[in-house]
Amino acid sequence: MTQSNPTVQKPVTPLAEFWFYFRQNRGAVIGLAYVAFIVMMALLASLLAPHSPTEQFRDFILAPPAFSDGGSTQFLLGTDGVGRDILSRLMHGARLSLLIGLVIVLVSLVMGICLGLMAGYFGGVIDTAIMRISDILQSLPPLLLAIAIVAVLGPSILNAGLALSLVYLPHYTRLTRASVLAERNRDYVVASRVAGAHAWRLMFITILPNCLAPLIVQATLSFSNAILDMAALGFLGLGAQPPLPEWGTMLATAREYIQSAWWVVTFPGLAILSTVLAFNLMGDGLRDALDPKLKQ
Amino acid sequence: MFQFVMRRVGMVIPTFIGVSLLTFSLIHLIPGDPVTVMGGERGFSAEQRAEVEAMLGLDKPLVQQYGLYVINILRGDLGISFVTKEPVMHEFLTLFPATIELSVFAAIFAILIGLPLGIIAAVKRGSVFDHTVMTASLAGYSMPIFWWGLLLILLMSVQLDITPVAGRIDALYWVDEVTGFMIIDAWLSGEEGAVGSALAHLFLPSIVLGTIPMAVIARMTRSSMLEVLGEDYIRTARAKGLSPTRVVMKHALRNALIPVVTVIGLQVGTLLGGAILTETIFAWPGIGKWLIEAIGRRDYPVVQGGLLMIACIIIVVNLLVDLTYGIINPRVRHSK
Amino acid sequence: MSLLSIQDLSVTFGPFRAVDRLSYEVNAGEVVGIVGESGSGKSVSSLALMGLIDYPGKVTANELNFEGMKLLEMKDKARRKITGDEIAMIFQDPMTALNPCFTVGDQIMEAIAVHQGGSRKERKLKAVDLLRQVGIPAPEERIKSFPHQLSGGMSQRVMIAMAIACDPKLLIADEPTTALDVTIQAQIIDLLLDLQRQKNMGLILITHDLALVAEAADRVVVMYAGQVVETGPAAEIFARPSHPYTEALMKSLPESSQGKARLDALPGVVPGANDRPSGCLLNPRCPYATDKCRTEEPELIETDGRSVRCFTPLTQQEDAA
């Protein structure tokens, strides 16, 4: 009696498996490509930008973009109310937005993870205290809370970043805590504890790596929120102060030009929209690729 | 049932206390001397300084200040605005209806469009329609709404001249403020065209404010529907010979809507937050605009009072959503 | 004319054939048992019967006739009219098969409303009567219950009540007792068979429980990896199985291994979508496989009311010996 051999497939590395699922979501791939483009733009802004973002060309105030009449190729996307090249400002603004977004997400991620780990692992009074504070922070709409904090500290890009980090903190705390609670009583944790691992090791080395998937997805989404909220604060005059070329701040003064110079209003907003959309598409794809339930 | 309600209410009280602590500490967290900051560029004379200090009670110990603060809140006294010298609570109550009106219309827009889109996208999963809805809704909540508002003003008001640019009603109508809700007041005034003007002014701001909630509702409805449509009892319903419409609208929808209702309730927070930006752009005289201006003018009692009121409203709405969920989900309803 | 006549029913999901040229008949009042392991396609075939296979599944057949009506050619609306009315189905897990948002009574009354109509009062009376027929105590109270308030056995009784509400001519029971406690299983089967006898329904009983089929069925259809491998009268098949797979199924029953150190089990597993062997699908595991079995695919051949898909059927081997 012989047996026919079914084909045995080579085991796939986690990264390759992840990429396989991620690749299937066309939107996510487009998002990734655009994000790469924006990152490139941000990193090489000083090299690629045709002009300095703060130089004012007094002779070319409110110049239209190159493709509409009256425009020239000197200022591809036109100039703003004091004659600054919009394209250069957008490119430098990309650097600002991405950097500050990264800082905000990292700070709130790290602090949120620490607090969440402590709340989930130690439980009891620590848990209740941390959760109560999270509740309070979440009882205000995020933008409003950020505005309140900036109102207290004074408007500047740094304070705005600080405020947003604080505002996003509860999300990570909750996520981490939920994951910790789910993993805490699993066998591998108990085994480590029996083997003598102390609390910090258990929290950071044993449990944390298994909670990472939802955190990564949330971080990507937070990043796009950070860009949006930062722009909102800039628009309200509470974030990056002029002449910093932050996209939202650029829109703050754009209102007066709505009837006379549409490009001043349109391009910064498009920059925000496209970047945030790209990150959200990526985040969607990440979530689908990391979610075991959807795997077939 | 009663126990369930009481328990939920009990959980909320510490949050109220916490929020009051937060707003109370705002003034004291200002770096430097708060009174000097409030004086702004012109500064205060010694007399004015003493006046402000006494009014804020800054000369008393912190705990006592907080105690007074809480007592005042419970009495409905949120202090006096520095700028207008009016009681904060009075200003809030006067301006709040405008925000409510805007939020209600935004919510109606969000639900009327978002819900059906989500349902159809789920039923036609994988189709062009589905992908379009998903992408459009993703774009919807990637949108900076202050820019979206500006863009729509540019298109509709400036280029096409369809909708008005700012305010709640055309200046040529004089409408008595009876309820604070412009639609109702315009109707009550009996002036011809007043209601139409009020609606025209509401149109653009509602769409702008409602865009993000609409996107969220559409996505949530779709994913909830998809999950429900894969359940066994849907297969049973089809095996009974029910028409597809009936299966979706009766069997699937009831179950799918349960989480969606929660999401809709939670959008109140988004609406109030978004109102700030929307009101600023459309010069809509609601509490969002009021707060922003107060921050700019360092009118701290207004900032404190406004934040506190908004936080309380959100907490109460979340509580109601929680309770409603308990009522409409039969499994929760019957277990306690 | 038979109640249900199926010839060459195939259900494909892309390249994967979940059901491959299935053929059998059910006559009025007859109990047909369909046996097979998980993955044999027995559930999918009955879903195809009911019209419950969705895209990307494709259903094709030479013949899929119910009382002479060509099911595959009917318009959706016409087909829905007989679904739930003349052909009904009950499913494996009763706890998830009922809508948690509606009362048990509402769901039964809905089945009646869609096909028979009647005032609310009439339907309510009928629902109460149905609950009584399936052996639920205090039916007048029970119709107000929600599904999560019922036990597994009760839920299955409700499902049965819902299925027989319009007096169907054919009832399909897809593993009706698999999800239930052992003590309840016998009760539910007894109930099903009682109802079948009373109403002279055709009953298709899908299960992996051989003992059940041996007791309850008039005829048996044995399935393996989407194909029918043997059909015939129940008594004959179990006394003298013709297909090696049927023999293996019988041998794997714990009862037949009394006194032995190990259970008799076929080595290997049912082929999935990606590892279909060439030739006969059973050949990697079959103790009687020949070279012909490994290269050619056997057809289903009928003789004397029994059919078998094998190049070396056991009955032939016996006769030859």
Side-chain angles (χ1 to χ4, degrees):
Chain A
M1 182 175 74
T2 57
Q3 308 248 7
S4 60
N5 292 320
T7 48
V8 176
Q9 289 169 312
K10 221 172 53 170
V12 187
T13 68
L15 192 63
E17 188 187 356
F18 166 79
W19 177 245
F20 173 73
Y21 285 107
F22 188 82
R23 215 179 25 166
Q24 290 181 343
N25 185 339
R26 258 180 319 170
V29 177
I30 296 178
L32 183 61
Y34 191 80
V35 165
F37 167 68
I38 290 284
V39 170
M40 198 62 54
M41 197 71 72
L43 289 174
L44 303 175
S46 317
L47 292 172
L48 293 175
H51 304 280
S52 145
T54 46
E55 187 179 348
Q56 301 178 4
F57 296 91
R58 300 289 170 147
D59 299 325
F60 291 98
I61 291 188
L62 287 182
F67 47 82
S68 70
D69 25 87
S72 73
T73 49
Q74 196 185 7
F75 306 105
L76 279 173
L77 294 180
T79 62
D80 66 3
V82 289
R84 294 176 291 207
D85 177 35
I86 290 187
L87 179 59
S88 309
R89 302 202 87 213
L90 286 182
M91 291 170 84
H92 279 87
R95 178 185 284 187
L96 256 180
S97 292
L98 290 183
L99 200 61
I100 197 96
L102 196 63
V103 169
I104 292 174
V105 169
L106 277 178
V107 169
S108 55
L109 188 63
V110 168
M111 286 194 56
I113 289 181
C114 289
L115 287 175
L117 278 175
M118 288 201 292
Y121 186 76
F122 292 121
V125 177
I126 299 183
D127 184 16
T128 319
I130 293 181
M131 279 297 110
R132 280 278 158 255
I133 299 181
S134 291
D135 276 341
I136 295 171
L137 284 177
Q138 284 185 308
S139 67
L140 278 172
L143 189 61
L144 201 49
L145 184 58
I147 291 178
I149 299 176
V150 173
V152 162
L153 297 175
S156 82
I157 194 171
L158 200 62
N159 290 339
L162 205 67
L164 287 176
S165 306
L166 204 58
V167 165
Y168 296 150
L169 197 56
H171 290 284
Y172 294 111
T173 312
R174 267 182 209 280
L175 256 178
T176 315
R177 175 180 177 270
S179 296
V180 170
L181 285 178
E183 300 288 313
R184 190 172 57 169
N185 295 317
R186 296 276 194 96
D187 287 341
Y188 69 89
V189 175
V190 175
S192 281
R193 197 162 45 206
V194 164
H198 59 272
W200 297 103
R201 185 188 178 84
L202 275 175
M203 286 198 290
F204 283 96
I205 299 183
T206 316
I207 299 182
L208 182 58
N210 293 290
C211 309
L212 280 181
L215 284 171
I216 294 178
V217 176
Q218 180 68 27
T220 323
L221 297 176
S222 277
F223 192 82
S224 44
N225 278 337
I227 299 181
L228 273 178
D229 288 337
M230 197 63 200
L233 288 173
F235 175 75
L236 291 170
L238 297 171
Q241 297 298 302
L244 281 179
E246 200 269 318
W247 293 336
T249 316
M250 285 168 74
L251 283 173
T253 44
R255 223 168 132 202
E256 23 179 315
Y257 304 115
I258 232 183
Q259 295 187 319
S260 47
W262 58 269
W263 54 93
V264 184
V265 175
T266 316
F267 291 128
L270 272 178
I272 303 176
L273 173 59
S274 55
T275 310
V276 174
L277 184 57
F279 273 101
N280 279 340
L281 281 170
M282 244 181 65
D284 251 5
L286 260 177
R287 194 195 320 119
D288 288 345
L290 289 175
D291 184 351
K293 273 192 298 181
L294 295 176
K295 294 198 178 129
Q296 263 131 17
Chain B
M1 192 69 221
F2 182 69
Q3 276 182 333
F4 173 72
V5 174
M6 278 297 112
R7 205 164 348 116
R8 284 288 192 275
V9 171
M11 293 202 305
V12 153
I13 294 185
T15 317
F16 274 123
I17 299 178
V19 169
S20 70
L21 268 171
L22 185 70
T23 49
F24 170 73
S25 48
L26 271 183
I27 294 210
H28 300 278
L29 286 175
I30 301 174
D33 176 28
V35 183
T36 315
V37 175
M38 276 191 261
E41 285 174 353
R42 283 183 310 174
F44 286 132
S45 68
E47 270 177 12
Q48 288 171 319
R49 176 171 259 274
E51 213 182 290
V52 172
E53 275 188 8
M55 183 162 64
L56 290 178
L58 286 175
D59 40 340
K60 305 195 188 68
L62 264 182
V63 178
Q64 205 180 0
Q65 285 186 43
Y66 178 63
L68 279 172
Y69 180 65
V70 171
I71 294 177
N72 282 335
I73 294 177
L74 292 174
R75 281 191 317 175
D77 177 9
L78 291 173
I80 312 268
S81 158
F82 281 166
V83 176
T84 64
K85 306 288 191 269
E86 294 283 321
V88 170
M89 183 58 106
H90 174 76
E91 282 199 342
F92 180 84
L93 289 175
T94 316
L95 295 170
F96 194 42
T99 306
I100 296 184
E101 196 177 24
L102 178 59
S103 305
V104 165
F105 274 82
I108 293 178
F109 166 72
I111 296 176
L112 273 182
I113 309 265
L115 212 54
L117 281 183
I119 296 175
I120 302 179
V123 170
K124 289 186 189 285
R125 182 198 198 154
S127 66
V128 173
F129 185 86
D130 184 18
H131 283 300
T132 314
V133 166
M134 288 311 284
T135 316
S137 60
L138 198 57
Y141 74 60
S142 309
M143 191 86 78
I145 71 171
F146 49 93
W147 177 70
W148 180 224
L150 285 178
L151 198 67
L152 281 182
I153 293 181
L154 184 65
L155 278 171
M156 303 279 269
S157 308
V158 176
Q159 304 274 23
L160 301 176
D161 205 13
I162 298 182
T163 49
V165 178
R168 297 180 77 185
I169 198 165
D170 277 340
L172 39 108
Y173 298 105
W174 180 249
V175 171
D176 280 330
E177 204 170 291
V178 177
T179 59
F181 296 107
M182 190 55 77
I183 300 280
I184 303 179
D185 290 344
W187 179 58
L188 287 175
S189 79
E191 282 201 49
E192 230 190 273
V195 177
S197 175
L199 279 173
H201 278 79
L202 259 176
F203 182 66
L204 227 43
S206 306
I207 293 183
V208 170
L209 184 57
T211 301
I212 294 184
M214 178 192 80
V216 171
I217 291 175
R219 300 194 114 217
M220 189 67 209
T221 309
R222 176 187 179 272
S223 68
S224 182
M225 255 314 215
L226 279 178
E227 204 172 306
V228 166
L229 285 175
E231 295 276 356
D232 284 346
Y233 52 83
I234 297 295
R235 190 180 52 181
T236 309
R238 293 174 65 198
K240 286 202 293 198
L242 300 179
S243 72
T245 319
R246 202 185 176 126
V247 171
V248 168
M249 297 307 285
K250 188 175 168 196
H251 285 261
L253 203 56
R254 275 280 203 111
N255 285 282
L257 278 185
I258 295 176
V260 175
V261 163
T262 316
V263 165
I264 293 180
L266 295 176
Q267 289 306 303
V268 172
T270 313
L271 285 172
L272 284 178
I276 297 181
L277 294 167
T278 316
E279 288 177 12
T280 307
I281 297 181
F282 288 95
W284 189 268
I287 55 176
K289 184 158 160 289
W290 177 61
L291 257 177
I292 291 293
E293 285 170 356
I295 291 178
R297 295 194 275 220
R298 303 251 186 285
D299 194 349
Y300 285 110
V302 169
V303 176
Q304 252 188 344
L307 282 175
L308 186 66
M309 288 307 291
I310 293 181
C312 289
I313 293 170
I314 293 181
I315 295 175
V316 168
V317 168
N318 285 352
L319 178 65
L320 287 174
V321 166
D322 223 0
L323 292 176
T324 314
Y325 182 81
I327 295 176
I328 58 179
N329 187 342
R331 274 181 270 220
V332 179
R333 198 191 336 169
H334 291 115
S335 54
K336 290 287 185 299
Chain C
M1 180 183 63
S2 54
L3 189 60
L4 178 70
S5 161
I6 306 177
Q7 237 190 54
D8 289 335
L9 172 69
S10 292
V11 181
T12 51
F13 293 90
F16 173 56
R17 309 203 106 207
V19 177
D20 190 6
R21 291 165 291 160
L22 174 71
S23 304
Y24 65 87
E25 266 186 20
V26 181
N27 295 310
E30 193 179 26
V31 178
V32 173
I34 305 189
V35 262
E37 296 172 70
S38 310
S40 56
K42 50 192 200 302
S43 293
V44 176
S45 62
S46 50
L47 288 175
L49 254 179
M50 294 286 284
L52 293 176
I53 299 283
D54 290 327
Y55 176 86
K58 258 185 66 158
V59 178
T60 52
N62 262 346
E63 210 179 282
L64 186 60
N65 292 352
F66 178 75
E67 290 204 315
M69 293 188 279
K70 299 187 203 278
L71 290 180
L72 285 182
E73 289 169 28
M74 285 169 82
K75 291 209 157 268
D76 283 340
K77 200 164 173 190
R79 192 159 182 191
R80 279 203 301 273
K81 257 184 129 160
I82 51 172
T83 312
D85 188 13
E86 311 209 24
I87 316 180
M89 186 162 177
I90 60 175
F91 298 96
Q92 180 171 332
D93 188 355
M95 299 296 267
T96 54
L98 291 169
N99 193 326
C101 277
F102 298 106
T103 62
V104 148
D106 275 336
Q107 298 188 46
I108 298 181
M109 291 196 285
E110 184 183 33
I112 305 175
V114 166
H115 296 291
Q116 295 179 345
S119 73
R120 194 179 162 81
K121 205 164 160 193
E122 288 167 6
R123 287 182 281 134
K124 195 166 173 192
L125 281 173
K126 188 133 193 247
V128 171
D129 182 52
L130 281 164
L131 286 181
R132 196 171 294 124
Q133 279 183 46
V134 297
I136 291 187
E140 303 85 10
E141 261 101 73
R142 274 283 172 243
I143 55 169
K144 295 187 223 140
S145 306
F146 282 92
H148 61 269
Q149 295 171 314
L150 300 173
S151 70
M154 292 267 243
S155 304
Q156 195 60 296
R157 289 178 195 268
V158 168
M159 283 278 292
I160 297 175
M162 211 160 63
I164 61 170
C166 304
D167 281 317
K169 300 209 178 83
L170 176 66
L171 178 63
I172 308 175
D174 187 357
E175 308 230 33
T177 52
T178 309
L180 302 174
D181 290 333
V182 176
T183 44
I184 311 287
Q185 284 182 10
Q187 290 177 14
I188 298 291
I189 293 296
D190 282 340
L191 172 64
L192 270 176
L193 293 174
D194 272 339
L195 288 170
Q196 186 265 330
R197 268 189 299 268
Q198 275 174 37
K199 299 176 187 281
N200 203 33
M201 289 187 298
L203 176 63
I204 299 180
L205 192 54
I206 303 173
T207 179
H208 55 258
D209 185 349
L210 276 178
L212 170 62
V213 168
E215 261 188 59
D218 297 320
R219 287 188 24 251
V220 175
V221 173
V222 183
M223 288 186 72
Y224 180 75
Q227 292 180 336
V228 173
V229 293
E230 182 162 12
T231 71
E236 277 184 46
I237 290 213
F238 289 116
R240 286 192 348 145
S242 192
H243 195 279
Y245 182 63
T246 318
E247 181 193 56
L249 278 180
M250 303 212 38
K251 272 195 183 163
S252 67
L253 286 175
E255 294 84 39
S256 55
S257 296
Q258 275 179 353
K260 296 201 194 144
R262 307 191 63 153
L263 288 176
D264 271 326
L266 266 189
V269 290
V270 179
N274 299 318
D275 46 354
R276 316 283 276 195
S278 51
C280 170
L281 288 177
L282 188 64
N283 86 63
R285 312 168 66 188
C286 182
Y288 309 106
T290 64
D291 282 327
K292 190 174 183 194
C293 303
R294 285 185 265 278
T295 46
E296 285 180 44
E297 287 182 31
E299 291 293 321
L300 192 64
I301 304 177
E302 183 170 342
T303 38
D304 299 327
R306 288 179 66 162
S307 44
V308 67
R309 187 192 296 271
C310 186
F311 289 128
T312 56
L314 299 169
T315 40
Q316 227 177 59
Q317 290 176 28
E318 278 177 22
D319 292 339

